[in-house]
Amino acid sequence: MASQPDPQAPGPSGPLGSSAGGAVDAPLLGVARSLKGRAWRLVPVVAREAEALAQAFGLPDIAGRLLASRGVTLDTADAFLDPRLKAALPSPLGFRDMDAAVARLAHAVARRQRVVLFGDYDVDGATSAALMHRYLSALGLSPRIHIPDRLTEGYGPSVDAMRGFAGDGADLVVCLDCGTAAEAPLTAARDAGLDVLVIDHHKAPARLPPAVALVNPNRLDESGAGTGLAAVGVAFLVVAALDRQLRQAGTLPARGGPDLLGLLDLVALGTVCDLVPLVGPNRALVAQGLRVMAKRARPGLRALADQAGVDSAPDAYHLGFLLGPRINAGGRIGDAGLGARLLTTEDEAEAAAIAATLDRLNKERQQIEAAVLDEAAARAEMAGDRPVLVVDGAGWHPGVVGIVAGRLKERFDRPAVVLAHSDDGREAVGSARSIPGVDLGAVVIDAVAEGLARKGGGHAMAAGMTVALDRLDELRAFLDARLAGPVAAARADAALTLDGVLSVDGAGPELVAAVERLAPFGMGNPGPRFAVTPARVVKADVVGRDHVRLIVTGPAGGRLKAMAFRSAETPWGAELLAGKGRAFHLAGRLKRDDWGAEPKAELHLDDAAPAD
């Protein structure tokens, strides 16, 4: 007889509690409509499998349950808990054009050619360019990094840029995290006698641009291996294949030479910040990269961590929310090349100066973002209940539209497109963010093919585009028509899923330590989310710009801090602020609170519901 999902929800009597009863599809704790309008569901788990995992690997019961809920089995648990690169990474030579890319790079090394590394202006682009720069520099080359200015050049290679590189005497351009759809620029490069390699991961059109090699696991003619890799992960595989060929040819010694594993801190940073799934190869790359980063050997990352106040071993949260936004700030509102320069410099003073500049730019970016968000949210409210929000405005800084799109997506629970008008008022450039289950990148590529957008592309959860303003209404109608069904299905299945129920006393640092065995967390492997109940509010206030802080207590007298970020001006945040003395069910993720002499836990809230 097949095992069945455990129909029992852990109750609130202890760290996991005793059974609270109820069917899996019934609302957890009776929450059919929370303060944010969602039903709560318990993640179904086969109890026998969870117990077997906990016993086999000497884990707490909660860790076994969490592993089982992620589809981890006795056969795959060891690889999940201790991911190894050799077992997890696909063979580099299995990718189309990899052999041609390696041969062309090896030729550049042998002839000491002039190489330009053309990267995107986000963290994935900066880390990809820095990784390739560090490796080629170790081989004696002096590659030049070019990160395009977001305002004056836009995304990806341009015809003018390619002709300029050729005129400057470049022999080879390597496009990193861009170039897959750049047919006109790469045609111009070919006509100018300039070789181009493309190392990318964005969705590819049916017709590929002319390049010496185009390595992209998301080509339509690829096998499917490595489709979730960020561009920096693909770049690492290219470098690994090149390193192997150079050693086999005797160009490099069998031992010594460039340190490939020492580049994994860059791979981890770019992978986390590009929001690709942290499963399979990405999980191994990030896990190993975090260990490299913990050594603080790279001057730029060390200086940036100091600016961001990261004084403990880094984890995916530090990369995604503290380091990444600062590197992105240069590309958003300042000098787009700052991030790559920070990641390649060996000069401590230069690293400190760049890190300080990026920190300042990040603060400025936050102010600009807040102003654009206020306007964009007001226009989104006026758009009604359309499947896809498309808002545009004059005077909006193009460097923050992606962040604002993400905020609107979270607030309105649907894909959001935010477009900034050009100075001449003829077109708009912007970014889009999607919700799980809705592939936005593919539809943007189709919009370009239909002539509704001048250019655009991306992946399932994020995309960019340039649109003529007189075609904007047509684009809105196209997106609504194509995505109405997927958006409706995704939102209908958008109940808040929780991994268990805890008491306030059970939500302590010991449980956080057990949960961290499953890290790194991110897309594809989200941090476990728990309900903590009953939680009676003894203090509620606003900290920072608009964060709600709660101090709650349970029946046994334990206390817990809970944070609801960017929620003070929302309806659910207002109800929490007015909730002193009331009991709530709180839903969120437990984090370490290292402030103070003793380790504690705090709850980062996703939702709440009345419990009295």
mmCIF file of all heavy atoms in Angstrom, residues 16 22 27 62 143 150 172 179 182 217-218 294 312 328 336 386 389 402 465 471 502 526 556 572 610:
data_model
loop_
_atom_site.group_PDB
_atom_site.id
_atom_site.type_symbol
_atom_site.label_atom_id
_atom_site.label_comp_id
_atom_site.label_asym_id
_atom_site.label_seq_id
_atom_site.Cartn_x
_atom_site.Cartn_y
_atom_site.Cartn_z
ATOM 1 N N LEU A 16 7.448 21.522 17.741
ATOM 2 C CA LEU A 16 6.576 21.112 16.647
ATOM 3 C C LEU A 16 5.161 20.923 17.139
ATOM 4 O O LEU A 16 4.209 21.072 16.407
ATOM 5 C CB LEU A 16 7.074 19.804 16.022
ATOM 6 C CG LEU A 16 8.102 19.954 14.919
ATOM 7 C CD1 LEU A 16 8.475 18.596 14.392
ATOM 8 C CD2 LEU A 16 7.590 20.834 13.817
ATOM 9 N N GLY A 22 -7.197 17.707 11.403
ATOM 10 C CA GLY A 22 -7.715 18.412 10.243
ATOM 11 C C GLY A 22 -7.105 17.902 8.963
ATOM 12 O O GLY A 22 -5.967 17.468 8.918
ATOM 13 N N PRO A 27 -8.188 24.752 5.826
ATOM 14 C CA PRO A 27 -7.325 25.864 6.243
ATOM 15 C C PRO A 27 -6.601 25.543 7.543
ATOM 16 O O PRO A 27 -7.210 25.078 8.509
ATOM 17 C CB PRO A 27 -8.310 27.020 6.417
ATOM 18 C CG PRO A 27 -9.488 26.663 5.569
ATOM 19 C CD PRO A 27 -9.590 25.170 5.644
ATOM 20 N N ILE A 62 11.843 18.051 12.843
ATOM 21 C CA ILE A 62 11.434 19.124 11.943
ATOM 22 C C ILE A 62 12.276 19.121 10.675
ATOM 23 O O ILE A 62 11.779 19.369 9.576
ATOM 24 C CB ILE A 62 11.521 20.499 12.644
ATOM 25 C CG1 ILE A 62 11.072 21.614 11.697
ATOM 26 C CG2 ILE A 62 12.926 20.776 13.148
ATOM 27 C CD1 ILE A 62 9.687 21.477 11.155
ATOM 28 N N PRO A 143 42.394 41.802 -20.017
ATOM 29 C CA PRO A 143 41.061 42.041 -20.581
ATOM 30 C C PRO A 143 40.460 43.342 -20.064
ATOM 31 O O PRO A 143 40.699 43.757 -18.932
ATOM 32 C CB PRO A 143 40.254 40.830 -20.103
ATOM 33 C CG PRO A 143 40.963 40.364 -18.872
ATOM 34 C CD PRO A 143 42.414 40.659 -19.094
ATOM 35 N N ARG A 150 23.176 52.336 -18.231
ATOM 36 C CA ARG A 150 21.758 52.014 -18.388
ATOM 37 C C ARG A 150 21.006 53.104 -19.156
ATOM 38 O O ARG A 150 20.124 52.810 -19.969
ATOM 39 C CB ARG A 150 21.127 51.819 -17.002
ATOM 40 C CG ARG A 150 19.679 51.365 -17.023
ATOM 41 C CD ARG A 150 19.112 51.341 -15.617
ATOM 42 N NE ARG A 150 19.735 50.345 -14.781
ATOM 43 C CZ ARG A 150 19.227 49.136 -14.535
ATOM 44 N NH1 ARG A 150 18.091 48.782 -15.095
ATOM 45 N NH2 ARG A 150 19.849 48.292 -13.744
ATOM 46 N N LEU A 172 38.610 40.272 -29.705
ATOM 47 C CA LEU A 172 37.533 39.388 -29.257
ATOM 48 C C LEU A 172 36.681 40.114 -28.230
ATOM 49 O O LEU A 172 37.206 40.761 -27.321
ATOM 50 C CB LEU A 172 38.127 38.118 -28.628
ATOM 51 C CG LEU A 172 37.151 37.138 -27.957
ATOM 52 C CD1 LEU A 172 36.211 36.518 -28.993
ATOM 53 C CD2 LEU A 172 37.919 36.047 -27.211
ATOM 54 N N GLY A 179 23.390 39.313 -25.012
ATOM 55 C CA GLY A 179 23.847 39.003 -26.360
ATOM 56 C C GLY A 179 23.071 37.943 -27.095
ATOM 57 O O GLY A 179 23.183 37.831 -28.321
ATOM 58 N N ALA A 182 20.924 39.649 -29.648
ATOM 59 C CA ALA A 182 21.512 40.873 -30.210
ATOM 60 C C ALA A 182 21.955 40.650 -31.656
ATOM 61 O O ALA A 182 23.149 40.727 -31.983
ATOM 62 C CB ALA A 182 22.683 41.330 -29.348
ATOM 63 N N PRO A 217 22.437 27.581 -21.941
ATOM 64 C CA PRO A 217 21.638 26.374 -21.719
ATOM 65 C C PRO A 217 20.175 26.539 -22.098
ATOM 66 O O PRO A 217 19.454 25.543 -22.204
ATOM 67 C CB PRO A 217 21.792 26.119 -20.214
ATOM 68 C CG PRO A 217 22.219 27.419 -19.634
ATOM 69 C CD PRO A 217 23.008 28.113 -20.690
ATOM 70 N N ASN A 218 19.732 27.782 -22.331
ATOM 71 C CA ASN A 218 18.340 28.021 -22.709
ATOM 72 C C ASN A 218 18.163 28.250 -24.205
ATOM 73 O O ASN A 218 17.124 28.768 -24.637
ATOM 74 C CB ASN A 218 17.787 29.197 -21.902
ATOM 75 C CG ASN A 218 17.563 28.822 -20.447
ATOM 76 O OD1 ASN A 218 16.771 27.937 -20.138
ATOM 77 N ND2 ASN A 218 18.292 29.464 -19.547
ATOM 78 N N ALA A 294 33.320 33.207 3.021
ATOM 79 C CA ALA A 294 33.535 33.318 4.465
ATOM 80 C C ALA A 294 35.004 33.555 4.806
ATOM 81 O O ALA A 294 35.322 34.070 5.884
ATOM 82 C CB ALA A 294 33.024 32.061 5.163
ATOM 83 N N SER A 312 29.251 38.321 10.260
ATOM 84 C CA SER A 312 29.199 36.886 10.525
ATOM 85 C C SER A 312 29.413 36.150 9.212
ATOM 86 O O SER A 312 29.525 36.769 8.149
ATOM 87 C CB SER A 312 27.846 36.504 11.140
ATOM 88 O OG SER A 312 26.785 36.838 10.254
ATOM 89 N N ASN A 328 24.306 46.505 -7.302
ATOM 90 C CA ASN A 328 23.336 46.932 -8.312
ATOM 91 C C ASN A 328 23.174 48.444 -8.364
ATOM 92 O O ASN A 328 22.813 49.003 -9.402
ATOM 93 C CB ASN A 328 21.972 46.300 -8.031
ATOM 94 C CG ASN A 328 21.745 45.032 -8.829
ATOM 95 O OD1 ASN A 328 22.335 44.847 -9.895
ATOM 96 N ND2 ASN A 328 20.899 44.158 -8.323
ATOM 97 N N ALA A 336 27.961 52.369 -13.939
ATOM 98 C CA ALA A 336 27.610 50.961 -14.094
ATOM 99 C C ALA A 336 28.799 50.037 -13.900
ATOM 100 O O ALA A 336 28.626 48.859 -13.576
ATOM 101 C CB ALA A 336 26.995 50.728 -15.474
ATOM 102 N N ARG A 386 -6.884 44.057 -13.807
ATOM 103 C CA ARG A 386 -6.338 43.456 -15.023
ATOM 104 C C ARG A 386 -5.379 42.328 -14.649
ATOM 105 O O ARG A 386 -4.745 42.361 -13.584
ATOM 106 C CB ARG A 386 -5.607 44.501 -15.854
ATOM 107 C CG ARG A 386 -6.469 45.679 -16.256
ATOM 108 C CD ARG A 386 -5.723 46.629 -17.164
ATOM 109 N NE ARG A 386 -5.545 46.078 -18.502
ATOM 110 C CZ ARG A 386 -5.551 46.795 -19.616
ATOM 111 N NH1 ARG A 386 -5.757 48.105 -19.554
ATOM 112 N NH2 ARG A 386 -5.372 46.227 -20.784
ATOM 113 N N LEU A 389 -0.381 44.138 -14.587
ATOM 114 C CA LEU A 389 -0.273 45.577 -14.358
ATOM 115 C C LEU A 389 0.804 46.153 -15.268
ATOM 116 O O LEU A 389 1.944 45.682 -15.260
ATOM 117 C CB LEU A 389 0.100 45.861 -12.906
ATOM 118 C CG LEU A 389 -0.966 45.615 -11.843
ATOM 119 C CD1 LEU A 389 -0.366 45.798 -10.458
ATOM 120 C CD2 LEU A 389 -2.139 46.562 -12.042
ATOM 121 N N GLY A 402 12.807 48.165 -12.189
ATOM 122 C CA GLY A 402 12.750 46.738 -11.883
ATOM 123 C C GLY A 402 12.378 46.482 -10.436
ATOM 124 O O GLY A 402 11.568 45.594 -10.129
ATOM 125 N N MET A 465 12.185 45.383 -21.408
ATOM 126 C CA MET A 465 11.643 45.681 -22.731
ATOM 127 C C MET A 465 11.745 47.167 -23.033
ATOM 128 O O MET A 465 11.854 48.001 -22.128
ATOM 129 C CB MET A 465 10.181 45.233 -22.820
ATOM 130 C CG MET A 465 9.233 46.027 -21.934
ATOM 131 S SD MET A 465 7.606 45.247 -21.784
ATOM 132 C CE MET A 465 7.996 43.923 -20.638
ATOM 133 N N ARG A 471 2.367 52.291 -28.969
ATOM 134 C CA ARG A 471 1.968 50.875 -29.022
ATOM 135 C C ARG A 471 1.684 50.312 -27.628
ATOM 136 O O ARG A 471 1.440 49.113 -27.484
ATOM 137 C CB ARG A 471 3.082 50.025 -29.667
ATOM 138 C CG ARG A 471 3.534 50.447 -31.040
ATOM 139 C CD ARG A 471 2.426 50.353 -32.084
ATOM 140 N NE ARG A 471 1.886 49.038 -32.272
ATOM 141 C CZ ARG A 471 2.393 48.116 -33.115
ATOM 142 N NH1 ARG A 471 3.484 48.396 -33.813
ATOM 143 N NH2 ARG A 471 1.814 46.938 -33.265
ATOM 144 N N LEU A 502 4.257 26.352 15.489
ATOM 145 C CA LEU A 502 5.137 26.459 16.641
ATOM 146 C C LEU A 502 4.475 27.267 17.740
ATOM 147 O O LEU A 502 3.633 28.126 17.481
ATOM 148 C CB LEU A 502 6.447 27.164 16.264
ATOM 149 C CG LEU A 502 7.212 26.681 15.034
ATOM 150 C CD1 LEU A 502 8.381 27.618 14.763
ATOM 151 C CD2 LEU A 502 7.701 25.264 15.235
ATOM 152 N N PRO A 526 12.836 27.618 -0.796
ATOM 153 C CA PRO A 526 12.532 28.746 0.092
ATOM 154 C C PRO A 526 12.776 28.395 1.545
ATOM 155 O O PRO A 526 12.660 27.236 1.954
ATOM 156 C CB PRO A 526 11.044 29.005 -0.173
ATOM 157 C CG PRO A 526 10.511 27.689 -0.651
ATOM 158 C CD PRO A 526 11.626 27.064 -1.435
ATOM 159 N N ALA A 556 3.183 30.252 27.867
ATOM 160 C CA ALA A 556 4.210 29.813 28.818
ATOM 161 C C ALA A 556 5.140 30.948 29.230
ATOM 162 O O ALA A 556 6.070 30.731 30.011
ATOM 163 C CB ALA A 556 5.019 28.665 28.218
ATOM 164 N N TRP A 572 -2.736 45.507 6.551
ATOM 165 C CA TRP A 572 -2.416 44.474 7.535
ATOM 166 C C TRP A 572 -1.409 44.988 8.555
ATOM 167 O O TRP A 572 -1.483 44.643 9.739
ATOM 168 C CB TRP A 572 -1.942 43.195 6.845
ATOM 169 C CG TRP A 572 -0.498 43.123 6.449
ATOM 170 C CD1 TRP A 572 0.116 43.813 5.456
ATOM 171 C CD2 TRP A 572 0.505 42.283 7.028
ATOM 172 N NE1 TRP A 572 1.442 43.458 5.368
ATOM 173 C CE2 TRP A 572 1.709 42.521 6.319
ATOM 174 C CE3 TRP A 572 0.518 41.356 8.060
ATOM 175 C CZ2 TRP A 572 2.899 41.865 6.618
ATOM 176 C CZ3 TRP A 572 1.708 40.698 8.356
ATOM 177 C CH2 TRP A 572 2.878 40.954 7.645
ATOM 178 N N PRO A 610 -6.125 36.962 13.104
ATOM 179 C CA PRO A 610 -6.570 37.023 14.499
ATOM 180 C C PRO A 610 -6.700 35.629 15.096
ATOM 181 O O PRO A 610 -7.134 34.686 14.428
ATOM 182 C CB PRO A 610 -7.938 37.708 14.402
ATOM 183 C CG PRO A 610 -7.916 38.434 13.095
ATOM 184 C CD PRO A 610 -7.087 37.593 12.179
#
